[in-house]
């Protein structure tokens, strides 16, 4: 039995240049490393990321989280069997003592948890996707939803809506899906470029378009899809959107401010339903604010049988919130972000619970990433069926897409394709 012999942590910088936590776990049989990602459009119900405050790095340093790993969490896990991920994660959460991991920081706890997963794979001399998989084995290559146009909190300008994405639902393999998206992204760049400069990109590598509203962004996307030789259609190149509505909802006025418009709940539901009617939109993430349960259930009643309704801020990869959403039929798909959950085991349980309820899980990156590619292995290992990484640009995104290309070469699990989408597509 391979045991953990030491745990180290240090501060590194992520794709926004902000500090984040990297952890290395050593066993008698190798080691594992994991680097924690960070969101910008974070939800209120996520496990809490710990930042130092003060002047260093504008308050965004993570030295306290690093110290929490080396001083408090390392002694908790040292000596434990590295394959006991669930037991280790439980001990980490118990030692923190809070549900949202706010005492030590979810960035400290997940850092250790993720590095343990890698160390266990290394000790067994197996790839991570295999070592994470249940006894039945790893799943299919996930269908990617890929950011083409960005706005919201991820872009200095652009639309209020955070991501306009394409879903290569007509592709038959994962490599073909990437080729399709590459062609669409290139065509979108040609439409946006002013002839002199390449178009600016946002945090996840999507272009920042000067469009007056969502309809214009969808039209631009449809044009790019056609320019690339595909059809904007649910079974060829479909659309997805991450509205990230929490971030333009004003709780004091109970109103959504979308571009120049002020919409009440009904109008917001109508608007989203109209996008689903007018465009080949197959997935809608966070169409309403994180605590607007009324709005979510109304929208689910209207369009939940024909579109994927994907909870990100709504669910925050939290088992209780997922349970409530399943009971209320408030959505039909769950975004899985390990750092919202705070441990690999919690993320896994949320994913498995979503699957058991007939919901579709979508494993997701954060807007602040590094070249850590753990989520690629997680998506295949647990047969999520879908993955959301950002655009086909910037090395912190490509690290995951490329890891999936490597897995696709090594392992013949098929491609999840359009059938992975919830909502009857
Ligand atoms: P975030 O964005 O990492 O900034 O939260 C990703 C998302 O909203 O899906
Ligand atoms: Zn989101």
């Amino acid at each position: 039995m391979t045991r953990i012999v030491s745990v180290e942590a240090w501060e590194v910088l992520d794709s926004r240049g902000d500090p984040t936590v990297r952890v290395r776990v050593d066993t008698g049989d190798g080691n594992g490393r994991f680097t924690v990602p960070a969101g910008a459009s974070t939800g209120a119900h996520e496990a809490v990321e710990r930042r130092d405050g003060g002047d260093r790095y504008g308050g965004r340093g993570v030295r306290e989280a690093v110290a929490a790993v080396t001083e408090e969490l390392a002694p908790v896990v040292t000596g434990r069997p590295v394959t006991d991920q669930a037991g280790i994660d439980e001990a980490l959460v118990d030692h923190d003592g809070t549900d949202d991991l706010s005492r030590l920081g979810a960035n400290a706890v997940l850092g250790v948890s993720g590095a343990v997963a890698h160390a266990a794979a290394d000790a067994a001399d197996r790839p991570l996707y295999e070592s994470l998989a249940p006894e039945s084995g790893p799943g299919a290559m996930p269908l990617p939803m890929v950011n083409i146009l960005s706005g919201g909190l991820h872009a200095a300008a652009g639309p209020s809506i955070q991501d306009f994405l394409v879903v290569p639902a007509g592709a038959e393999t994962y490599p073909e899906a990437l080729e399709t998206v590459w062609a669409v992204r290139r065509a979108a760049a040609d439409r946006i470029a002013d002839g002199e400069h390449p178009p600016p990109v946002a945090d996840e590598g999507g272009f920042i378009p000067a469009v007056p509203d969502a309809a214009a962004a969808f039209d631009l996307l449809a044009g790019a899809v056609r320019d690339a030789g595909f059809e904007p259609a649910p079974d060829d190149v479909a659309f997805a959107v991450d509205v990230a509505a929490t971030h333009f909802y004003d709780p004091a006025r109970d109103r959504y401010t979308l571009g120049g418009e002020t919409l009440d709940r009904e109008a917001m539901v109508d608007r989203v339903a109209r996008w689903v009617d007018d465009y080949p939109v197959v997935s809608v993430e966070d169409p309403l604010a994180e605590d607007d349960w009324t709005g979510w259930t109304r929208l689910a009643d209207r369009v939940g049988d024909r579109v994927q309704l994907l909870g990100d801020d709504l669910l925050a990869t939290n088992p209780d919130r997922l349970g409530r959403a399943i009971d209320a039929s408030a959505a039909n798909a769950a975004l899985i972000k390990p750092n919202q959950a705070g441990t690999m085991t919690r993320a896994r349980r949320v994913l498995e619970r979503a699957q058991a309820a007939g919901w579709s899980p979508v494993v997701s990156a954060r807007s602040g990433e590094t070249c850590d590619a753990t989520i690629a292995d997680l998506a295949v290992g647990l047969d999520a069926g879908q993955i959301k990484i950002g655009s086909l640009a910037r090395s912190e995104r490509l690290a995951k897409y490329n890891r999936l290309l490597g897995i696709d070469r090594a392992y013949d699990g098929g491609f999840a394709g359009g059938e992975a989408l919830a909502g009857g597509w």
Side-chain angles (χ1 to χ4, degrees), residues 84-107:
D84 182 19
Q85 181 86 47
I88 288 171
D89 286 346
E90 197 184 324
L92 294 171
V93 170
D94 282 353
H95 187 79
D96 177 89
T98 65
D99 210 41
D100 59 6
L101 307 178
S102 51
R103 189 175 78 80
L104 298 176
N107 41 351

Side-chain angles (χ1 to χ4, degrees), residues 39-41 154 162 204 242 285 312 335 337 366-367 388:
S41 66
H154 291 174
Q162 188 174 286
E204 297 189 355
D242 181 359
E285 178 178 334
D312 172 11
L335 207 71
K337 289 171 166 172
R366 300 307 306 244
S367 52
K388 181 189 179 215

Side-chain angles (χ1 to χ4, degrees), residues 160-161 212-215 248 253 255-264 267-268 271 274-275:
S160 331
I161 290 172
D213 54 25
F248 57 81
R253 293 165 59 218
R255 290 288 183 278
Y256 292 88
T257 312
L258 186 55
E261 294 176 273
T262 303
L263 304 179
D264 65 15
M268 191 68 210
R271 183 64 53 93
R274 202 201 299 164
W275 297 335

Side-chain angles (χ1 to χ4, degrees), residues 105-118:
N107 41 351
V109 175
L110 182 70
V112 177
S113 179
V116 166
H118 280 276

